[in-house]
Amino acid sequence: MDEHLDTSGSGPTGSGPTGTSPAGATGPRWHRHPRALWRRSSDRVIVLPPDQSELLLVEGTGAVIWELLEHPTGEHELVDLLSRATDTDRSVIAPEVAAFLEQLAAEHVIRQP
Amino acid sequence: MSAATPSPQTTPTATDLLRGVATHGLPGTTGAIATDPPDDATWQQLLQRVDRQRLPGLLLAAIDDGALAVTDDQRTDALDRHRDAMGAVLHLEQRLVALTAALAVDGIEVVALKGSAHAHLAYPDPSWRTFGDVDLLVPSAQLEAAITTLGTQRGAHRQTPELRPGYDRRFAKSITLVEPDGTELDLHRTLVFGTFGFRIDLDELFASAVAFELGGQQVRALGPEARLLHTCFHAGLGDPRPRLSSIRDLAQMLLTGDHDNDRVIALAERWECQAVVARGLQLCREQLDIEVAGPIAERFGHHQPSRRDARAVEAYVGTNRSHTAKVLASLPFIDDLRTRAAFLVGSAVPARSFADERGTDRRSWLRKGWRSLPRGR
């Protein structure tokens, strides 16, 4: 396994979710690249990017995001969902989600519709 | 009066655990496999056998579902094995997508057999099923074109030369190609060598094919009825001691498949492979300890094979199994005399070019054939 992607590593903390994304603004929408091959492995996901030979291991909250990206989903929507699910302030989660999506996009395993 | 002695609480052996893993998730097998973690020696035995039987997906599923109690270290073992197995599977699927695309460019029909098709179409989660190679079915008339295409586009070459010119297109089960990185690929013409294979309508396999999505492509697989019978061939005739994963495939399909029972029965009767289905059911019973009920089991579970069919099955999995035994057992399945002669000669006496390339002489091939004939009958 060549690379681990995990949004939970820095341990988001906070007093609770506050607010939601601005009305009408969902941020960029993402979904899994159809050519990315993948398998669940317990609570992790193993992904083989298109035309690559190195595998990615997506763990923790990253695996949850991967499941959510089955259908096109806005970045703000992901932040809202994770904020509510983890009872964590959006402002804490948002940068981590953005960074994670950026990593996945750089690996060509997600793309914008 | 004496009280009955309670039976001692026995600790599950590696064999008990393996069988529990192999049947985990099947309808009617929801009970616990083990409520206490196995000791180290049993665990190591189980891991070895799980690898050999290609069951790391079911092992992890059994642990995650709480059916098999393990220690933290044992769970890590199972996770590591599964991660490695899934990594290998994903690379094979990447290859499958590339191979089918390469063949499609040249207008060659292709159907994926076993492996990835079973993982995606038979199981509730493809991560339950691991596999170790890529098997493709192409039409007989396009077999040579497929070999040429894969040679040109991917640098694949035949592992062994053709026995005789034209033999593969008429009689071979499959051709093994080797890609430049050493990976083998089986290019199938049919589902079983000789015998029952002569009764399979090969065109029908393509006409009834279904598709599943893989890597953004639609990959074709056998239709559910043909897939179930192919699974019977593979489990029932592929090896005298088939892997548990092959028998599990069959149990999975029989118990949860989307096939039409009446069509399976009709197809099995048309292919005259009732004895093979009966053997598959027997393997489920003996190796997995499960009794498969339903119309297919009712029809074939107690099938009494004809002498011809019993000899055919023996040729693959009996004590005298051999290539020659399969060839001889095939003759009653071939109605046309000229075809019978061509099959017999083609299978038993290779062309000079084959012998030269293999560095052997044709007489030694014949002698090998005589030696494998059953004695004392």
Side-chain angles (χ1 to χ4, degrees):
Chain A
M1 197 59 54
D2 303 286
E3 190 166 347
H4 292 242
L5 301 177
D6 185 354
T7 61
S8 61
S10 56
T13 56
S15 56
T18 55
T20 55
S21 55
T26 61
R29 292 170 72 77
W30 296 95
H31 69 120
R32 296 178 201 148
H33 197 299
R35 292 182 56 218
L37 296 163
W38 64 279
R39 285 287 196 282
R40 290 184 192 91
S41 182
S42 196
D43 52 0
R44 311 178 300 182
V45 176
I46 302 162
V47 187
L48 181 58
D51 305 317
Q52 300 296 312
S53 59
E54 294 188 355
L55 297 157
L56 308 175
L57 185 64
V58 181
E59 300 183 280
T61 317
V64 176
I65 293 177
W66 181 261
E67 294 289 345
L68 292 169
L69 292 178
E70 180 181 0
H71 303 292
T73 307
E75 187 173 322
H76 294 315
E77 199 179 339
L78 288 173
V79 172
D80 285 343
L81 283 166
L82 293 173
S83 173
R84 281 198 297 272
T86 60
D87 199 25
T88 305
D89 198 292
R90 292 189 87 257
S91 63
V92 176
I93 286 181
E96 295 200 26
V97 168
F100 180 65
L101 293 174
E102 201 173 304
Q103 271 183 289
L104 292 182
E107 297 286 354
H108 305 291
V109 297
I110 62 169
R111 69 180 186 184
Q112 295 182 24
Chain B
M1 188 180 288
S2 62
T5 308
S7 59
Q9 196 73 25
T10 54
T11 306
T13 64
T15 301
D16 298 329
L17 298 178
L18 185 70
R19 185 172 289 184
V21 167
T23 57
H24 176 71
L26 284 173
T29 56
T30 52
I33 299 169
T35 50
D36 293 312
D39 60 50
D40 283 348
T42 305
W43 176 249
Q44 291 306 322
Q45 281 179 41
L46 176 64
L47 284 182
Q48 282 179 13
R49 295 172 71 179
V50 159
D51 285 346
R52 213 161 42 230
Q53 302 295 333
R54 289 199 181 149
L55 297 170
L58 288 169
L59 174 66
L60 188 58
I63 293 169
D64 281 354
D65 292 345
L68 175 60
V70 293
T71 64
D72 287 348
D73 286 347
Q74 289 169 346
R75 183 169 187 275
T76 301
D77 284 343
L79 269 173
D80 289 348
R81 272 178 159 68
H82 189 251
R83 181 200 58 200
D84 292 348
M86 292 300 105
V89 153
L90 291 175
H91 283 113
L92 286 169
E93 290 196 331
Q94 187 180 53
R95 192 177 295 268
L96 170 62
V97 169
L99 289 164
T100 52
L103 291 167
V105 165
D106 283 354
I108 295 166
E109 274 199 278
V110 61
V111 161
L113 299 176
K114 303 184 287 184
S116 186
H118 282 355
H120 289 275
L121 294 172
Y123 286 86
D125 187 322
S127 70
W128 286 19
R129 176 64 156 82
T130 61
F131 45 93
D133 52 14
V134 173
D135 295 271
L136 300 175
L137 177 76
V138 296
S140 298
Q142 294 188 308
L143 185 63
E144 285 167 25
I147 294 169
T148 302
T149 290
L150 296 178
T152 308
Q153 292 198 32
R154 295 186 56 91
H157 65 274
R158 295 180 63 112
Q159 190 177 53
T160 57
E162 190 173 18
L163 279 169
R164 278 181 171 270
Y167 179 86
D168 291 343
R169 185 171 43 80
R170 293 185 75 187
F171 302 124
K173 176 195 173 194
S174 61
I175 314 299
T176 300
L177 302 181
V178 184
E179 298 221 75
D181 65 359
T183 306
E184 292 180 8
L185 150 74
D186 286 333
L187 205 54
H188 291 249
R189 183 191 72 86
T190 184
L191 307 181
V192 61
F193 172 74
T195 62
F196 306 100
F198 283 104
R199 292 289 186 265
I200 298 174
D201 179 346
L202 299 178
D203 292 337
E204 192 179 351
L205 299 180
F206 293 91
S208 62
V210 296
F212 63 102
E213 191 181 329
L214 188 67
Q217 268 191 37
Q218 291 293 308
V219 175
R220 295 174 81 200
L222 292 175
E225 291 80 22
R227 198 172 345 120
L228 195 154
L229 292 185
H230 181 215
T231 306
C232 289
F233 281 127
H234 185 64
L237 302 183
D239 194 285
R241 293 174 61 89
R243 284 196 187 98
L244 289 180
S245 58
S246 300
I247 307 172
R248 167 59 188 254
D249 283 343
L250 180 55
Q252 184 77 36
M253 289 182 201
L254 285 166
L255 293 170
T256 70
D258 57 350
H259 56 270
D260 179 293
N261 286 320
D262 291 338
R263 280 193 218 151
V264 171
I265 290 168
L267 197 59
E269 290 176 345
R270 206 157 64 243
W271 290 2
E272 299 178 20
C273 65
Q274 299 96 324
V276 184
V277 180
R279 178 167 161 76
L281 293 164
Q282 182 189 1
L283 286 167
C284 289
R285 198 163 48 243
E286 292 178 356
Q287 301 298 313
L288 298 183
D289 199 19
I290 58 168
E291 198 67 53
V292 177
I296 296 172
E298 282 167 23
R299 186 62 160 257
F300 301 127
H302 300 286
H303 175 76
Q304 290 299 316
S306 65
R307 187 162 177 270
R308 177 200 74 169
D309 291 356
R311 285 179 67 113
V313 172
E314 276 289 298
Y316 293 87
V317 295
T319 49
N320 279 320
R321 64 188 177 277
S322 67
H323 176 71
T324 309
K326 289 176 201 169
V327 171
L328 295 176
S330 299
L331 299 181
F333 287 84
I334 310 172
D335 299 324
D336 175 54
L337 284 178
R338 291 169 77 93
T339 305
R340 195 184 291 185
F343 175 71
L344 188 59
V345 172
S347 302
V349 189
R352 190 178 301 280
S353 57
F354 173 89
D356 289 347
E357 203 165 324
R358 293 290 293 268
T360 180
D361 69 86
R362 294 195 290 169
R363 278 174 298 183
S364 74
W365 183 270
L366 269 177
R367 282 197 298 272
K368 192 176 160 193
W370 302 143
R371 276 200 303 274
S372 65
L373 285 172
R375 293 174 190 279
R377 288 192 177 181

